[in-house]
Short mmCIF file of all heavy atoms in Angstrom, two decimals:
data_model
loop_
_atom_site.label_atom_id
_atom_site.label_comp_id
_atom_site.label_asym_id
_atom_site.label_seq_id
_atom_site.Cartn_x
_atom_site.Cartn_y
_atom_site.Cartn_z
N ASP Q 212 -53.26 31.91 -128.03
CA ASP Q 212 -52.31 31.09 -127.29
C ASP Q 212 -51.18 31.91 -126.68
O ASP Q 212 -50.22 31.35 -126.12
CB ASP Q 212 -51.73 30.01 -128.20
CG ASP Q 212 -51.08 30.59 -129.46
OD1 ASP Q 212 -51.09 31.84 -129.61
OD2 ASP Q 212 -50.57 29.83 -130.28
N LEU Q 213 -51.29 33.25 -126.79
CA LEU Q 213 -50.27 34.20 -126.30
C LEU Q 213 -48.95 34.11 -127.03
O LEU Q 213 -47.94 34.67 -126.60
CB LEU Q 213 -50.04 34.03 -124.79
CG LEU Q 213 -51.23 34.17 -123.86
CD1 LEU Q 213 -50.77 34.17 -122.41
CD2 LEU Q 213 -52.04 35.42 -124.15
N ASN Q 214 -48.93 33.41 -128.17
CA ASN Q 214 -47.69 33.27 -128.94
C ASN Q 214 -47.55 34.45 -129.89
O ASN Q 214 -47.82 34.37 -131.08
CB ASN Q 214 -47.72 31.95 -129.72
CG ASN Q 214 -46.38 31.65 -130.38
OD1 ASN Q 214 -45.34 32.16 -129.96
ND2 ASN Q 214 -46.41 30.83 -131.41
N VAL Q 215 -47.10 35.56 -129.34
CA VAL Q 215 -47.02 36.82 -130.08
C VAL Q 215 -45.91 36.78 -131.14
O VAL Q 215 -44.78 36.39 -130.85
CB VAL Q 215 -46.77 38.00 -129.11
CG1 VAL Q 215 -46.60 39.31 -129.87
CG2 VAL Q 215 -47.92 38.10 -128.11
N ASP Q 216 -46.25 37.18 -132.35
CA ASP Q 216 -45.30 37.24 -133.46
C ASP Q 216 -44.60 38.60 -133.42
O ASP Q 216 -45.14 39.61 -133.85
CB ASP Q 216 -46.06 37.06 -134.78
CG ASP Q 216 -45.15 37.01 -136.00
OD1 ASP Q 216 -44.01 37.54 -135.93
OD2 ASP Q 216 -45.57 36.47 -137.04
N ALA Q 217 -43.39 38.62 -132.91
CA ALA Q 217 -42.66 39.88 -132.71
C ALA Q 217 -42.42 40.62 -134.03
O ALA Q 217 -42.56 41.84 -134.10
CB ALA Q 217 -41.34 39.62 -132.00
N ASP Q 218 -42.05 39.89 -135.07
CA ASP Q 218 -41.76 40.54 -136.36
C ASP Q 218 -43.01 41.22 -136.91
O ASP Q 218 -42.95 42.35 -137.41
CB ASP Q 218 -41.25 39.51 -137.37
CG ASP Q 218 -39.86 39.00 -137.03
OD1 ASP Q 218 -39.14 39.70 -136.30
OD2 ASP Q 218 -39.50 37.90 -137.49
N ARG Q 219 -44.14 40.54 -136.82
CA ARG Q 219 -45.40 41.11 -137.29
C ARG Q 219 -45.76 42.37 -136.51
O ARG Q 219 -46.17 43.38 -137.08
CB ARG Q 219 -46.52 40.09 -137.16
CG ARG Q 219 -47.89 40.62 -137.53
CD ARG Q 219 -48.98 39.59 -137.30
NE ARG Q 219 -50.29 40.09 -137.67
CZ ARG Q 219 -51.41 39.39 -137.59
NH1 ARG Q 219 -51.38 38.14 -137.17
NH2 ARG Q 219 -52.56 39.93 -137.94
N GLU Q 220 -45.59 42.30 -135.19
CA GLU Q 220 -45.95 43.43 -134.34
C GLU Q 220 -45.01 44.61 -134.55
O GLU Q 220 -45.45 45.76 -134.55
CB GLU Q 220 -45.94 43.00 -132.86
CG GLU Q 220 -46.96 41.91 -132.52
CD GLU Q 220 -48.38 42.34 -132.86
OE1 GLU Q 220 -48.82 43.41 -132.40
OE2 GLU Q 220 -49.05 41.60 -133.61
N GLN Q 221 -43.74 44.33 -134.73
CA GLN Q 221 -42.79 45.42 -134.99
C GLN Q 221 -43.11 46.13 -136.31
O GLN Q 221 -43.04 47.36 -136.41
CB GLN Q 221 -41.37 44.88 -135.00
CG GLN Q 221 -40.87 44.48 -133.61
CD GLN Q 221 -39.50 43.84 -133.64
OE1 GLN Q 221 -38.92 43.62 -134.70
NE2 GLN Q 221 -38.97 43.53 -132.45
N ALA Q 222 -43.50 45.36 -137.31
CA ALA Q 222 -43.87 45.95 -138.59
C ALA Q 222 -45.09 46.86 -138.43
O ALA Q 222 -45.15 47.95 -139.02
CB ALA Q 222 -44.16 44.85 -139.61
N LEU Q 223 -46.06 46.44 -137.62
CA LEU Q 223 -47.24 47.26 -137.35
C LEU Q 223 -46.86 48.56 -136.66
O LEU Q 223 -47.37 49.63 -136.99
CB LEU Q 223 -48.23 46.49 -136.46
CG LEU Q 223 -49.35 45.72 -137.14
CD1 LEU Q 223 -50.17 44.97 -136.10
CD2 LEU Q 223 -50.24 46.64 -137.96
N LEU Q 224 -45.97 48.47 -135.69
CA LEU Q 224 -45.54 49.66 -134.96
C LEU Q 224 -44.88 50.67 -135.90
O LEU Q 224 -45.11 51.88 -135.79
CB LEU Q 224 -44.57 49.28 -133.85
CG LEU Q 224 -45.15 48.49 -132.67
CD1 LEU Q 224 -44.04 48.09 -131.70
CD2 LEU Q 224 -46.22 49.30 -131.94
N LEU Q 225 -44.07 50.19 -136.82
CA LEU Q 225 -43.37 51.08 -137.73
C LEU Q 225 -44.33 51.81 -138.67
O LEU Q 225 -44.02 52.90 -139.17
CB LEU Q 225 -42.34 50.29 -138.56
CG LEU Q 225 -41.15 49.74 -137.78
CD1 LEU Q 225 -40.27 48.90 -138.69
CD2 LEU Q 225 -40.35 50.85 -137.12
N GLN Q 226 -45.51 51.23 -138.89
CA GLN Q 226 -46.49 51.82 -139.80
C GLN Q 226 -47.38 52.87 -139.13
O GLN Q 226 -48.19 53.51 -139.80
CB GLN Q 226 -47.38 50.72 -140.38
CG GLN Q 226 -46.66 49.73 -141.26
CD GLN Q 226 -47.49 48.48 -141.53
OE1 GLN Q 226 -48.71 48.49 -141.37
NE2 GLN Q 226 -46.83 47.41 -141.92
N HIS Q 227 -47.23 53.05 -137.81
CA HIS Q 227 -48.11 53.96 -137.08
C HIS Q 227 -47.31 54.97 -136.26
O HIS Q 227 -46.15 54.74 -135.91
CB HIS Q 227 -49.04 53.16 -136.17
CG HIS Q 227 -50.02 52.31 -136.93
ND1 HIS Q 227 -49.67 51.07 -137.44
CD2 HIS Q 227 -51.31 52.53 -137.28
CE1 HIS Q 227 -50.72 50.56 -138.07
NE2 HIS Q 227 -51.73 51.42 -137.99
N ASP Q 228 -47.97 56.08 -135.97
CA ASP Q 228 -47.33 57.18 -135.24
C ASP Q 228 -47.70 57.20 -133.76
O ASP Q 228 -46.92 57.65 -132.93
CB ASP Q 228 -47.75 58.52 -135.86
CG ASP Q 228 -47.55 58.54 -137.37
OD1 ASP Q 228 -46.38 58.46 -137.79
OD2 ASP Q 228 -48.54 58.62 -138.10
N ILE Q 229 -48.92 56.75 -133.44
CA ILE Q 229 -49.43 56.76 -132.07
C ILE Q 229 -49.85 55.35 -131.69
O ILE Q 229 -50.63 54.71 -132.41
CB ILE Q 229 -50.63 57.72 -131.93
CG1 ILE Q 229 -50.21 59.15 -132.31
CG2 ILE Q 229 -51.18 57.70 -130.51
CD1 ILE Q 229 -51.37 60.13 -132.39
N ILE Q 230 -49.34 54.86 -130.56
CA ILE Q 230 -49.64 53.51 -130.10
C ILE Q 230 -50.45 53.61 -128.81
O ILE Q 230 -49.96 54.17 -127.81
CB ILE Q 230 -48.34 52.71 -129.81
CG1 ILE Q 230 -47.30 52.93 -130.92
CG2 ILE Q 230 -48.66 51.24 -129.58
CD1 ILE Q 230 -47.74 52.56 -132.31
N LEU Q 231 -51.65 53.07 -128.81
CA LEU Q 231 -52.50 53.11 -127.62
C LEU Q 231 -52.82 51.70 -127.14
O LEU Q 231 -53.28 50.86 -127.92
CB LEU Q 231 -53.81 53.85 -127.93
CG LEU Q 231 -53.69 55.31 -128.37
CD1 LEU Q 231 -55.07 55.86 -128.72
CD2 LEU Q 231 -53.04 56.15 -127.29
N PHE Q 232 -52.56 51.44 -125.86
CA PHE Q 232 -52.95 50.18 -125.25
C PHE Q 232 -54.34 50.36 -124.66
O PHE Q 232 -54.53 51.12 -123.70
CB PHE Q 232 -51.98 49.80 -124.12
CG PHE Q 232 -50.59 49.45 -124.60
CD1 PHE Q 232 -49.56 50.38 -124.55
CD2 PHE Q 232 -50.31 48.19 -125.08
CE1 PHE Q 232 -48.29 50.07 -124.98
CE2 PHE Q 232 -49.03 47.85 -125.52
CZ PHE Q 232 -48.02 48.80 -125.46
N GLN Q 233 -55.33 49.67 -125.22
CA GLN Q 233 -56.69 49.76 -124.69
C GLN Q 233 -57.02 48.49 -123.92
O GLN Q 233 -56.95 47.39 -124.47
CB GLN Q 233 -57.70 49.96 -125.83
CG GLN Q 233 -59.14 50.06 -125.31
CD GLN Q 233 -60.16 50.26 -126.41
OE1 GLN Q 233 -59.83 50.69 -127.51
NE2 GLN Q 233 -61.40 49.93 -126.13
N HIS Q 234 -57.42 48.66 -122.65
CA HIS Q 234 -57.63 47.48 -121.80
C HIS Q 234 -58.35 47.85 -120.51
O HIS Q 234 -58.30 49.01 -120.08
CB HIS Q 234 -56.28 46.85 -121.45
CG HIS Q 234 -55.33 47.81 -120.78
ND1 HIS Q 234 -55.26 47.97 -119.42
CD2 HIS Q 234 -54.42 48.68 -121.30
CE1 HIS Q 234 -54.34 48.87 -119.12
NE2 HIS Q 234 -53.82 49.32 -120.24
N PRO Q 235 -58.97 46.88 -119.87
CA PRO Q 235 -59.49 47.12 -118.51
C PRO Q 235 -58.31 47.22 -117.56
O PRO Q 235 -57.24 46.65 -117.80
CB PRO Q 235 -60.34 45.88 -118.23
CG PRO Q 235 -59.77 44.82 -119.12
CD PRO Q 235 -59.29 45.52 -120.35
N PHE Q 236 -58.49 47.95 -116.48
CA PHE Q 236 -57.41 48.20 -115.52
C PHE Q 236 -57.41 47.07 -114.49
O PHE Q 236 -57.90 47.23 -113.37
CB PHE Q 236 -57.64 49.56 -114.86
CG PHE Q 236 -56.39 50.18 -114.30
CD1 PHE Q 236 -55.22 50.18 -115.01
CD2 PHE Q 236 -56.41 50.79 -113.05
CE1 PHE Q 236 -54.07 50.78 -114.51
CE2 PHE Q 236 -55.27 51.39 -112.52
CZ PHE Q 236 -54.10 51.38 -113.25
N TYR Q 237 -56.88 45.91 -114.88
CA TYR Q 237 -56.87 44.73 -114.02
C TYR Q 237 -55.77 44.83 -112.96
O TYR Q 237 -54.60 44.93 -113.31
CB TYR Q 237 -56.64 43.47 -114.86
CG TYR Q 237 -57.85 42.95 -115.60
CD1 TYR Q 237 -57.76 41.85 -116.42
CD2 TYR Q 237 -59.10 43.55 -115.48
CE1 TYR Q 237 -58.85 41.34 -117.09
CE2 TYR Q 237 -60.21 43.06 -116.15
CZ TYR Q 237 -60.08 41.96 -116.95
OH TYR Q 237 -61.17 41.47 -117.63
N TRP Q 238 -56.13 44.76 -111.70
CA TRP Q 238 -55.16 44.78 -110.61
C TRP Q 238 -54.09 45.85 -110.82
O TRP Q 238 -52.90 45.58 -110.76
CB TRP Q 238 -54.54 43.40 -110.41
CG TRP Q 238 -55.50 42.45 -109.77
CD1 TRP Q 238 -56.20 41.44 -110.35
CD2 TRP Q 238 -55.91 42.46 -108.39
NE1 TRP Q 238 -57.01 40.82 -109.43
CE2 TRP Q 238 -56.85 41.43 -108.21
CE3 TRP Q 238 -55.56 43.26 -107.29
CZ2 TRP Q 238 -57.46 41.17 -106.99
CZ3 TRP Q 238 -56.17 43.00 -106.07
CH2 TRP Q 238 -57.09 41.96 -105.93
N TYR Q 239 -54.57 47.06 -111.11
CA TYR Q 239 -53.69 48.23 -111.27
C TYR Q 239 -52.74 48.08 -112.46
O TYR Q 239 -51.70 48.73 -112.52
CB TYR Q 239 -52.90 48.50 -110.00
CG TYR Q 239 -53.76 48.53 -108.76
CD1 TYR Q 239 -53.67 47.53 -107.80
CD2 TYR Q 239 -54.70 49.54 -108.56
CE1 TYR Q 239 -54.49 47.55 -106.66
CE2 TYR Q 239 -55.51 49.56 -107.44
CZ TYR Q 239 -55.41 48.56 -106.50
OH TYR Q 239 -56.21 48.58 -105.39
N SER Q 240 -53.09 47.24 -113.39
CA SER Q 240 -52.22 47.01 -114.54
C SER Q 240 -53.06 46.60 -115.74
O SER Q 240 -54.19 47.03 -115.87
CB SER Q 240 -51.19 45.93 -114.18
OG SER Q 240 -50.23 45.78 -115.20
N ALA Q 241 -52.50 45.76 -116.59
CA ALA Q 241 -53.16 45.36 -117.83
C ALA Q 241 -53.28 43.84 -117.90
O ALA Q 241 -52.57 43.12 -117.19
CB ALA Q 241 -52.35 45.87 -119.02
N PRO Q 242 -54.17 43.33 -118.75
CA PRO Q 242 -54.26 41.88 -118.96
C PRO Q 242 -52.92 41.29 -119.39
O PRO Q 242 -52.07 41.98 -119.97
CB PRO Q 242 -55.31 41.76 -120.08
CG PRO Q 242 -56.17 42.97 -119.90
CD PRO Q 242 -55.22 44.06 -119.50
N ALA Q 243 -52.75 40.01 -119.14
CA ALA Q 243 -51.45 39.34 -119.28
C ALA Q 243 -50.83 39.46 -120.67
O ALA Q 243 -49.61 39.56 -120.81
CB ALA Q 243 -51.59 37.87 -118.90
N ILE Q 244 -51.66 39.47 -121.71
CA ILE Q 244 -51.09 39.46 -123.06
C ILE Q 244 -50.32 40.74 -123.37
O ILE Q 244 -49.42 40.74 -124.20
CB ILE Q 244 -52.18 39.20 -124.11
CG1 ILE Q 244 -51.53 38.76 -125.44
CG2 ILE Q 244 -53.08 40.43 -124.31
CD1 ILE Q 244 -52.51 38.23 -126.45
N ILE Q 245 -50.66 41.83 -122.71
CA ILE Q 245 -49.92 43.08 -122.95
C ILE Q 245 -48.50 42.96 -122.42
O ILE Q 245 -47.53 43.40 -123.06
CB ILE Q 245 -50.66 44.28 -122.35
CG1 ILE Q 245 -51.91 44.58 -123.19
CG2 ILE Q 245 -49.76 45.52 -122.30
CD1 ILE Q 245 -52.69 45.80 -122.78
N LYS Q 246 -48.33 42.34 -121.26
CA LYS Q 246 -46.97 42.11 -120.74
C LYS Q 246 -46.20 41.16 -121.66
O LYS Q 246 -45.02 41.37 -121.95
CB LYS Q 246 -47.04 41.52 -119.33
CG LYS Q 246 -45.68 41.31 -118.67
CD LYS Q 246 -44.95 42.64 -118.48
CE LYS Q 246 -43.75 42.50 -117.55
NZ LYS Q 246 -42.69 41.61 -118.10
N GLN Q 247 -46.89 40.12 -122.14
CA GLN Q 247 -46.26 39.20 -123.09
C GLN Q 247 -45.85 39.93 -124.36
O GLN Q 247 -44.74 39.74 -124.87
CB GLN Q 247 -47.25 38.07 -123.43
CG GLN Q 247 -46.77 37.07 -124.47
CD GLN Q 247 -45.81 36.05 -123.91
OE1 GLN Q 247 -45.21 36.25 -122.85
NE2 GLN Q 247 -45.64 34.94 -124.61
N TRP Q 248 -46.72 40.79 -124.83
CA TRP Q 248 -46.42 41.59 -126.03
C TRP Q 248 -45.18 42.45 -125.79
O TRP Q 248 -44.27 42.50 -126.64
CB TRP Q 248 -47.63 42.45 -126.37
CG TRP Q 248 -47.54 43.26 -127.61
CD1 TRP Q 248 -48.00 42.93 -128.85
CD2 TRP Q 248 -46.92 44.55 -127.75
NE1 TRP Q 248 -47.72 43.94 -129.75
CE2 TRP Q 248 -47.06 44.94 -129.10
CE3 TRP Q 248 -46.28 45.41 -126.86
CZ2 TRP Q 248 -46.58 46.16 -129.58
CZ3 TRP Q 248 -45.79 46.62 -127.34
CH2 TRP Q 248 -45.94 46.97 -128.67
N GLN Q 249 -45.13 43.14 -124.67
CA GLN Q 249 -43.99 44.00 -124.37
C GLN Q 249 -42.70 43.20 -124.29
O GLN Q 249 -41.66 43.62 -124.82
CB GLN Q 249 -44.23 44.74 -123.05
CG GLN Q 249 -45.34 45.78 -123.12
CD GLN Q 249 -45.67 46.37 -121.77
OE1 GLN Q 249 -45.59 45.69 -120.74
NE2 GLN Q 249 -46.05 47.64 -121.75
N ASP Q 250 -42.76 42.05 -123.61
CA ASP Q 250 -41.56 41.23 -123.44
C ASP Q 250 -40.98 40.75 -124.76
O ASP Q 250 -39.75 40.67 -124.93
CB ASP Q 250 -41.88 40.01 -122.57
CG ASP Q 250 -42.14 40.36 -121.12
OD1 ASP Q 250 -41.81 41.49 -120.71
OD2 ASP Q 250 -42.69 39.51 -120.40
#
C-alpha cells in the first residue's frame, strides 16, 4: 500500500554498511515506492 514504516526502515539502515537500490530503470529513474521510501 506504499505505507512505508520509517522507524523500521531507519533501524534497518543502521544495521548495514552498504545500501543498494535494486530496480528497473523506469523513465530514467526508479519505481514509485523508492521515492516514497526516500521521502
Side-chain angles (χ1 to χ4, degrees):
D212 56 0
L213 303 188
N214 188 22
V215 177
D216 184 337
D218 290 338
R219 175 184 181 179
E220 298 302 306
Q221 289 175 356
L223 265 177
L224 291 175
L225 292 176
Q226 294 166 20
H227 293 82
D228 309 295
I229 300 172
I230 317 302
L231 299 177
F232 293 98
Q233 180 180 339
H234 56 91
F236 203 45
Y237 281 178
W238 286 104
Y239 310 111
S240 187
I244 198 169
I245 288 184
K246 183 63 167 64
Q247 176 79 340
W248 184 96
Q249 291 173 326
D250 290 345

